[in-house]
Amino acid sequence: MAECKGTMTRRNPYLSGAPALGFFVALPLALAFALALPSVAAAGPPSGLDRNRELQACVAKAEANPDGAMADAKRWQEQGGGDFAKLCQGLALFHAGDFKAAGTQIEALVPTLGKDDPKAAASLLGRAGWAWLRAGDQGRAERLYSAALNKTPGDTDLLIDRAFARAEGERFWDAIADLDAALARDPRRADAYLYRASANKALSNHRQALADIDRALELKPGDPEAILLRGNVKALGGNLPAARDDWALARRVAPDSEWGRAAADNLARTAEIAAGAGKDAVKEKAKKVQ
């Protein structure tokens, strides 16, 4: 049968606003930076707090207006903003869609901004990893996530991020290993169950995929993404009527979401296939009558 629409998405906790990749949510961006870079506010000179505020303002602007944030960051750098201004430039580049330049810029700041703070270093490495993944360099992204995990071993979000990168490289068993580790640390992560279900789906482990989806729905009832995926897995397993029930449910639950629209597409496409098959059957019967 035709491939069912519906992809897993992940909005990286290090860089928000990331659209869907093929396989696979997030602190407000300014707050994420304040937490991830605690050394900024206490960075020696009295201007440290001002730099933190400037960074947060620039980060908040980067997503909505990357060109404006880049202009602000350049002015800030001319005024002595240093590495913090460069960090904002990197984020502006990311949100402008220049992922390679963003990854290069952010990665280059790890030795300075992350020098004395493993959490800050891991945060920067995670941001750079996401940029390189968006640039299509899965291998470099995975290396950066691994480096980040060396700084903060067992970090649940980083494990999930690396699983995402590994799945993009079709290394589904390695992705599952990371997701197993993430769920061992936090068994209430509905998203991790859903990502593991998607990996199992790719490996044709349909029974395990459905078990993971059921667990995700226990933790997050009515999630249209999970319902859509369940329908897709059922369709791949040959149970099209049950799949159509799930797609209809996803469409009812969230008709205007990307998952509701994908479910509607699946329903329409399978209806067309069924109608075409019906016409072929009629033609065959007509031939026999003749």
Side-chain angles (χ1 to χ4, degrees):
M1 63 175 291
E3 182 182 355
C4 301
K5 282 191 177 182
T7 59
M8 299 301 296
T9 61
R10 176 157 175 77
R11 294 181 184 85
N12 189 276
Y14 301 99
L15 285 163
S16 69
L21 293 172
F23 179 73
F24 275 90
V25 209
L27 290 170
L29 201 52
L31 177 57
F33 264 96
L35 294 176
L37 298 174
S39 60
V40 175
S47 60
L49 184 58
D50 291 336
R51 280 190 287 181
N52 191 42
R53 289 171 178 162
E54 187 81 24
L55 178 60
Q56 290 186 18
C58 193
V59 164
K61 190 172 184 177
E63 185 172 1
N65 181 6
D67 290 340
M70 177 62 75
D72 289 349
K74 287 180 177 178
R75 282 194 297 271
W76 185 23
Q77 189 169 10
E78 291 171 358
Q79 296 165 3
D83 287 338
F84 303 122
K86 291 179 183 178
L87 177 55
C88 190
Q89 289 176 26
L91 290 173
L93 287 166
F94 176 90
H95 289 295
D98 194 345
F99 302 121
K100 288 184 179 180
T104 300
Q105 179 96 334
I106 296 170
E107 188 177 349
L109 294 170
V110 175
T112 52
L113 291 182
K115 181 180 179 182
D116 300 316
D117 189 336
K119 289 185 178 180
S123 176
L124 290 164
L125 288 163
R127 287 172 166 80
W130 188 247
W132 281 110
L133 190 59
R134 294 293 312 281
D137 193 334
Q138 173 271 331
R140 189 164 181 173
E142 182 180 346
R143 288 193 295 274
L144 288 167
Y145 286 134
S146 295
L149 281 163
N150 286 336
K151 299 288 185 181
T152 54
D155 183 288
T156 303
D157 278 311
L158 285 170
L159 284 167
I160 295 173
D161 287 339
R162 190 172 68 179
F164 188 87
R166 287 175 165 179
E168 284 294 304
E170 298 187 352
R171 293 172 51 203
F172 298 113
W173 285 116
D174 290 333
I176 287 172
D178 274 344
L179 293 165
D180 287 346
L183 286 166
R185 294 184 64 84
D186 187 353
R188 297 193 63 79
R189 287 293 295 261
D191 57 343
Y193 281 108
L194 208 54
Y195 305 150
R196 193 171 70 179
S198 191
N200 277 307
K201 168 179 166 286
L203 293 166
S204 297
N205 296 333
H206 297 152
R207 182 177 297 179
Q208 184 58 52
L210 290 172
D212 281 338
I213 295 168
D214 287 343
R215 181 62 178 141
L217 284 167
E218 287 175 11
L219 294 166
K220 193 177 179 182
D223 178 15
E225 185 177 9
I227 297 168
L228 170 66
L229 180 60
R230 187 173 64 185
N232 292 354
V233 174
K234 288 177 179 177
L236 289 171
N239 192 349
L240 187 56
R244 288 179 60 84
D245 287 343
D246 274 336
W247 294 333
L249 177 58
R251 185 176 63 176
R252 288 197 303 273
V253 168
D256 297 325
S257 70
E258 60 183 295
W259 306 292
R261 290 191 293 271
D265 286 344
N266 288 347
L267 287 167
R269 292 163 70 196
T270 53
E272 288 175 4
I273 293 169
K279 289 178 182 178
D280 290 342
V282 170
K283 289 179 181 178
E284 288 299 318
K285 289 181 179 178
K287 287 179 182 178
K288 290 179 181 179
V289 170
Q290 293 173 357

